[in-house]
């Protein structure tokens, strides 16, 4: 009864994820099953196909019947155990979507989030002429998602991504190649813009902005699995913004724009910091109506 084995395994996986407090356990169990079977996340799973998973048994790696993928119960159970331990789904699968791109992720970097796409929306609003050759800088690039999304929208532009973590730099370079943008992107490991001696039309940054004392109280997927270096914004969550605003006057070309991601409740404080540093500002809200992108001009 191969289809019964798969159906029961999916039901057991759903119960295990629900017991662990994972949101949407049935959906996540199916996503992991689709990943295990090398199917698209929303593809129908052939639970009812006679002989779809012949001879499946714990620890086995049976051959598939024609037209159907192999199924290894033990390997799928291992994926479920990882998710039940609140390892982020993106780390288990290894990729996530951002803007129009596929992005490889790893524990060396934050997982790209839809909220950060607000910065790309703000960049497109600031530079409506997409054909011009802009110079773009992404500070704290992580996976490279912001820089690469901007380069995808501005096809004549070139950009540099900087990150303190060499593993993040290597990951970002790989993502540039994955998305066929490697000829227009360069990445380097450095402390913010310390080695940069150039000016840019667009400066992007999603800096660490979580107050240090708040990190332990974040959801387990973040607090236990994403890198503290990319989360910790110091005692008040604003330390990185001070560093960015100190460096920005030397980095921003005449007529240039900088766009920083904001944490919840930080818009007023960072706006005042930016105005004190001599910048005019505006904010752009994310889909939840939260001010998420701070747009700065000289």
């Amino acid at each position: 009864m191969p289809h019964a084995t798969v159906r029961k395994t999916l039901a057991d996986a759903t119960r295990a994820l629900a017991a662990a407090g994972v949101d949407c356990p049935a959906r996540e169990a199916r996503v992991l099953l689709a990943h295990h079977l090398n199917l698209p996340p929303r593809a129908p799973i052939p639970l009812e196909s006679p002989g779809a998973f012949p001879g499946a048994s714990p620890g086995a790696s049976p051959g598939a019947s024609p037209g159907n993928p192999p199924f290894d119960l033990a390997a799928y159970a291992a994926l479920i155990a990882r998710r039940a331990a609140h390892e982020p789904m993106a780390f288990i699968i290894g990729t996530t979507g951002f803007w129009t791109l596929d992005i490889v992720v790893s524990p060396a970097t934050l997982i790209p989030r839809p909220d950060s796409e607000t910065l790309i929306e703000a960049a497109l609003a600031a530079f409506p002429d997409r054909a011009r050759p802009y110079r773009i800088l992404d500070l704290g690039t992580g996976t490279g998602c912001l820089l690469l999304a901007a380069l995808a929208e501005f096809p004549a532009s070139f950009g540099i991504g900087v990150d303190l973590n060499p593993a993040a730099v290597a990951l970002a370079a790989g993502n540039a190649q994955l998305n066929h943008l490697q000829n227009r992107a360069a990445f380097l490991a450095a402390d913010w813009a310390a080695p940069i001696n150039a000016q840019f039309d667009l400066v992007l940054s999603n800096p660490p902005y979580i107050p240090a004392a708040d990190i332990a109280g974040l959801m387990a997927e973040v607090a236990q699995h994403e890198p503290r270096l990319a989360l910790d914004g110091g005692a008040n969550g604003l330390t990185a913004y001070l560093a960015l605003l100190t460096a920005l006057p030397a980095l921003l070309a005449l007529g240039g724009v900088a766009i920083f991601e904001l944490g919840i409740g930080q818009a007023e404080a960072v706006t005042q910091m930016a105005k004190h540093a001599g910048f005019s500002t505006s904010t752009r809200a994310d889909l939840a109506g939260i001010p998420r992108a701070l747009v700065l001009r000289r």
Side-chain angles (χ1 to χ4, degrees):
M1 53 178 183
H3 63 278
T5 298
V6 175
R7 183 180 295 283
K8 180 179 184 303
T9 300
L10 188 59
D12 290 346
T14 299
R15 284 192 291 271
L17 294 179
V22 173
D23 291 338
C24 305
R27 181 186 67 82
E28 298 224 345
R30 278 185 166 264
V31 169
L32 286 173
L33 181 55
H35 169 67
H36 173 59
L37 298 175
N38 200 30
L39 297 171
R42 293 181 178 81
I45 296 172
L47 298 178
E48 306 297 340
S49 301
F53 306 103
S57 61
S61 298
S65 61
N68 290 303
F71 181 56
D72 183 330
L73 290 177
Y76 176 59
L79 297 178
I80 293 298
R82 291 171 66 184
R83 188 67 189 101
H86 293 276
E87 183 175 352
M89 179 70 80
F91 286 165
I92 297 171
I93 292 176
T95 62
T96 192
F98 183 82
W99 199 248
T100 61
L101 308 177
D102 292 322
I103 299 293
V104 174
V105 299
S106 85
T109 68
L110 290 182
I111 297 167
R113 290 165 168 80
D115 293 343
S116 299
E117 295 181 353
T118 310
L119 277 68
I120 304 303
E121 295 173 353
L124 294 176
F127 297 102
D129 183 359
R130 300 191 192 185
R132 286 183 54 192
Y134 301 108
R135 297 157 295 176
I136 304 173
L137 177 65
D138 180 17
L139 295 173
T141 195
T143 62
C145 64
L146 286 175
L147 176 61
L148 298 176
L151 291 176
E153 294 296 334
F154 299 118
S157 298
F158 181 86
I160 297 173
V162 182
D163 201 284
L164 188 62
N165 185 351
V169 170
L171 185 68
N175 279 321
Q177 187 162 7
L178 175 67
N179 289 281
H180 309 291
L181 294 165
Q182 69 272 20
N183 292 333
R184 295 195 288 119
F187 298 93
L188 65 149
D191 186 3
W192 296 118
I196 302 293
N197 184 22
Q199 291 191 318
F200 299 85
D201 304 295
L202 174 62
V203 177
L204 299 167
S205 185
N206 177 13
Y209 53 66
I210 306 298
D214 293 351
I215 293 175
L218 298 175
M219 60 190 298
E221 283 83 348
V222 178
Q224 297 176 15
H225 294 279
E226 297 198 68
R228 187 181 182 95
L229 181 67
L231 297 169
D232 190 343
N236 59 3
L238 303 177
T239 300
Y241 295 112
L242 179 60
L244 290 168
L245 289 168
T246 299
L248 195 57
L251 298 172
L252 207 56
L254 186 64
V257 172
I259 307 174
F260 299 160
E261 181 162 330
L262 298 168
I264 295 174
Q266 291 181 325
E268 181 61 28
V270 184
T271 293
Q272 291 305 314
M273 291 171 66
K275 288 182 176 178
H276 182 73
F279 296 96
S280 63
T281 67
S282 61
T283 59
R284 187 179 184 96
D286 61 21
L287 292 177
I290 297 166
R292 186 61 66 181
L294 182 69
V295 182
L296 304 94
R297 293 177 169 85
R298 301 180 87 171

